[in-house]
């Protein structure tokens, strides 16, 4: 820590982890070689190492903390094998893999590492852009972190289907971006990927996406609606924070976790149906959502969360029933009662009962009598139903030999 005269360091293979701030402020450190056996690098390990140019990662590394190269103003990139955890981490966070080859075709700069071709820079000025399927003959499979960050000219963007990876901040700050076509092969909306795309009006999240990372769609102030497909199980913190125009959101039916501040300051968001699969809701998830009503079942985690956090606008959908519908048999011998949930047609209650009848009004010599048909239900949700029919002949209309003692 702050060993300012340290120029380089090599570790023995007995070292398995490096803790928080281990080399922070070592301003003279220029290169680091990490050997096989190292598994974990803590947060801010090389923070403010202003002379650090390169770090070599072994394949054994499986965890890398946040901010490890923040303040490393001379940093050039990492050395690592193409299929390692470190390589995926470097691409996600916008650090060059120095063992990879760079190629250029037209306005496109890509990095080649084995069969992986990742767009890392666009030097043109087109406003309606289609990312090429190949660069110099290599199929494009990814877009590196920060590739289009703060490109204020970009209005629309189409991405080829082979792209399965888009890095953090890839389109952040593209203030003129109105529409973007994401490929079906994409499996994650990465951290801050569309952060502050203030002109973005529509977004279709592909059906193979399983996670929407934190801050990914934050401050997209023109976005009005979003459908989160059922493939998504987690939405990270602040993912939709300050989407001021957002009024409609449909959540995944398999969603398990909503991060902190996930919809905070979505001032126009009116309703949100939270599925029973959700087991985690972060702090301030709906802070500033002044007109929001949550819809959930009475036994759900969301209902319990609302009670604990004194969130008042909650509708318990399993307790919301329409008025019962009663259907009489043609001969009035039975009645079927049906009760359906207002929000879920698959939830219903049904009961069929036989009626009993009585003389409601006895016939006279000139006037017909009335029969009263009565249906009584065991389910307290259904009320007793009656029908009165004027179906008993007047006494004068009956044959003399007709039995009048029991007109029913």
């Amino acid at each position: 820590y702050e060993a300012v005269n340290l120029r380089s360091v090599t570790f023995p293979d007995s070292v398995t982890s490096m803790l928080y701030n281990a080399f922070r402020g070592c301003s003279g450190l220029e290169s680091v070689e990490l050997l096989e056996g190292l598994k974990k690098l803590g947060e801010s390990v090389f923070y403010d190492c202003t002379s650090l140019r390169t770090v070599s990662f072994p394949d054994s590394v499986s965890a890398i903390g946040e901010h490890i190269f923040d303040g490393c103003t001379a940093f050039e990139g990492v050395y690592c094998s193409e299929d390692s955890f470190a390589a995926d981490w470097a691409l996600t966070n916008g650090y060059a893999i120095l063992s990879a080859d760079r190629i250029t075709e037209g306005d496109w700069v890509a990095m080649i590492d084995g069969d992986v071709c990742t767009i890392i820079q666009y030097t043109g000025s087109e406003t309606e852009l289609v990312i090429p399927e190949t660069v110099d003959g290599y199929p494009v499979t990814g877009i590196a972190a920060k590739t289009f960050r703060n490109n204020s000219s970009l209005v629309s963007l189409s991405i080829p289907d082979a792209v399965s990876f888009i890095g953090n901040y890839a389109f952040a700050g593209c203030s003129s971006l109105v529409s973007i076509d994401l490929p079906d092969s994409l499996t994650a909306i990465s951290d801050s990927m569309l952060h502050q795309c203030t002109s973005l009006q529509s977004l279709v999240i592909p059906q193979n996406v399983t996670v929407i990372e934190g801050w990914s769609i934050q401050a997209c102030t023109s976005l009005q609606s979003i459908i989160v497909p059922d493939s998504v199980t987690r939405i990270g913190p602040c993912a939709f924070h300050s989407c001021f125009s957002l009024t409609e959101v449909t959540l995944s039916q398999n969603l398990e976790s909503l991060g902190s501040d996930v919809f905070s300051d979505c001032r126009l968001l009116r309703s949100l149906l939270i599925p029973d699969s959700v087991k985690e809701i972060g702090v301030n998830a709906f802070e500033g959502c002044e007109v929001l009503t949550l819809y959930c079942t009475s036994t759900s985690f969301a209902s319990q969360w609302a009670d604990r956090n004194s969130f008042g606008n909650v509708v318990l959908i399993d307790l919301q029933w329409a008025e019962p519908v009663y259907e009489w048999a043609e001969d009035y011998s039975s009645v079927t009662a049906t009760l359906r949930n207002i929000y879920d047609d698959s939830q219903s209650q049904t009961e069929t009962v036989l009626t009993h009848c009585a003389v409601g009004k006895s016939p006279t010599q000139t006037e017909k009598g009335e029969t009263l048909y009565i249906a009584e239900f065991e389910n307290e949700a259904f009320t007793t139903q009656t029908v009165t029919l004027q179906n008993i002949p007047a006494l004068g209309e009956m044959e003399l030999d007709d039995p009048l003692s029991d007109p029913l």
Side-chain angles (χ1 to χ4, degrees), residues 11-25:
F11 296 91
D13 55 14
S14 58
V15 175
T16 60
S17 65
M18 296 173 62
L19 301 181
Y20 171 75
N21 278 345
F23 291 91
R24 180 170 182 154

Side-chain angles (χ1 to χ4, degrees), residues 253-266:
Q253 289 301 301
N254 297 306
L255 188 67
E256 297 174 1
S257 175
L258 286 166
S260 60
D261 290 286
V262 61
F263 290 106
S264 62
D265 284 336
C266 292

